[in-house]
Amino acid sequence: MTDDLFVKLEAQIRSGQLPPGSRLPTQKEIAEAENVSRTVVREAVARLTAQGLAVSRQGSGMYVADTAEYRAFQITKDELHELADIVKLLEMRLGVETEMAGLAAARRTTADIGAIQDALQAMRDLRGDPVAAAKADTAFHLAIARATQNDYYARFVEFLGLRLVPPRNLYLRDQPEEAHQAYAEKVHGEHEAILDAIVRMDPTRAREAARHHMQESLTRHSMLSAAARGKGR
């Protein structure tokens, strides 16, 4: 019920029905109008506040934030439970990762190379643990983002965090250990190709290697998503 109320209040704010600077109805008024408990109202309003849509003015109540019309980009954990949503994220990453690798190849420092190599080695050392390997994979992409010398790339990758890399146990699920090892080796090879191009300061090859890596991941998860949809029919 909290989700439904949040969506309704958010829609009222986005549509201008509750314009920036306007006072929100009291919790009691909302609870009575929507026939929900005050707990539900408190949770929904708290979520509005967390997303920067509402602000509290001491002694005066809750107001729609003046900046409510500027919506912050978000991808929540709850949105990435389904394979179809992961595919959407991979589609977005395809373009970002490609250009990121190209810039990293053009601008990387010796320290950047060391950080990328360390993350890649950690992936190999942790290949027996899908979750730990995913963390190391994220560190690999973050090191590349920092090598661009563009803080926005690094901030974007940090924002995505572990959402950036789906653990392979989601893709492989009940597959035998041999399949996990083969997958880990394939991904390692794709990462090595990206690293080699960055080391050689070859932006064209770096873009090609990053695009290939992302396209492979996108293809794998798209096929699995299609299979899952087929089973659900």
Side-chain angles (χ1 to χ4, degrees):
M1 298 196 57
T2 298
D3 289 342
D4 293 338
L5 180 58
F6 167 76
V7 169
K8 186 170 185 176
L9 292 173
E10 181 191 33
Q12 290 175 353
I13 291 172
R14 299 297 183 199
S15 68
Q17 184 178 341
L18 289 172
S22 65
R23 187 176 183 280
L24 288 174
T26 65
Q27 290 186 9
K28 180 181 178 182
E29 290 170 340
I30 296 175
E32 291 177 349
E34 302 299 331
N35 195 28
V36 296
S37 70
R38 291 205 189 185
T39 299
V40 168
V41 176
R42 280 196 298 272
E43 291 174 350
V45 172
R47 194 178 301 179
L48 291 175
T49 303
Q51 295 203 12
L53 297 174
V55 294
S56 175
R57 296 180 185 173
Q58 192 168 6
S60 183
M62 296 296 301
Y63 288 78
V64 177
D66 292 334
T67 56
E69 61 187 300
Y70 302 106
R71 184 170 189 174
F73 177 74
Q74 293 192 48
I75 301 175
T76 66
K77 288 194 302 181
D78 293 341
E79 291 179 281
L80 294 177
H81 284 172
E82 300 295 330
L83 275 165
D85 295 317
I86 290 173
V87 168
K88 291 176 185 177
L89 178 58
L90 289 170
E91 287 176 343
M92 184 182 71
R93 283 184 56 204
L94 181 63
V96 173
E97 296 275 353
T98 298
E99 288 307 308
M100 190 168 79
L103 288 174
R107 302 172 180 174
R108 91 322 184 257
T109 65
T110 301
D112 290 325
I113 292 300
I116 299 170
Q117 289 173 329
D118 288 346
L120 191 57
Q121 184 59 49
M123 281 187 66
R124 179 168 285 280
D125 294 341
L126 297 167
R127 62 184 180 275
D129 183 337
V131 176
K135 290 182 180 179
D137 197 332
T138 299
F140 174 83
H141 290 278
L142 179 57
I144 292 174
R146 288 172 175 158
T148 67
Q149 316 307 324
N150 181 332
D151 290 343
Y152 291 143
Y153 275 109
R155 284 166 57 184
F156 180 67
V157 172
E158 286 177 330
F159 160 74
L160 289 176
L162 286 178
R163 290 165 290 194
L164 189 75
V165 181
R168 67 173 182 266
N169 51 356
L170 174 65
Y171 168 63
L172 296 173
R173 296 195 173 177
D174 299 324
Q175 295 296 311
E177 180 60 25
E178 291 78 9
H180 282 260
Q181 293 302 321
Y183 178 90
E185 288 300 322
K186 178 174 176 55
V187 171
H188 189 80
E190 293 169 6
H191 282 171
E192 281 188 323
I194 299 171
L195 172 59
D196 183 68
I198 292 174
V199 169
R200 296 175 185 277
M201 301 192 80
D202 188 333
T204 299
R205 277 186 55 210
R207 288 189 180 94
E208 290 173 351
R211 175 169 286 277
H212 173 72
H213 171 54
M214 292 308 308
Q215 190 63 61
E216 286 291 298
S217 184
L218 180 57
T219 299
R220 287 190 289 264
H221 288 86
S222 294
M223 290 175 64
L224 188 60
S225 178
R229 288 197 303 272
K231 289 179 181 179
R233 289 175 183 170

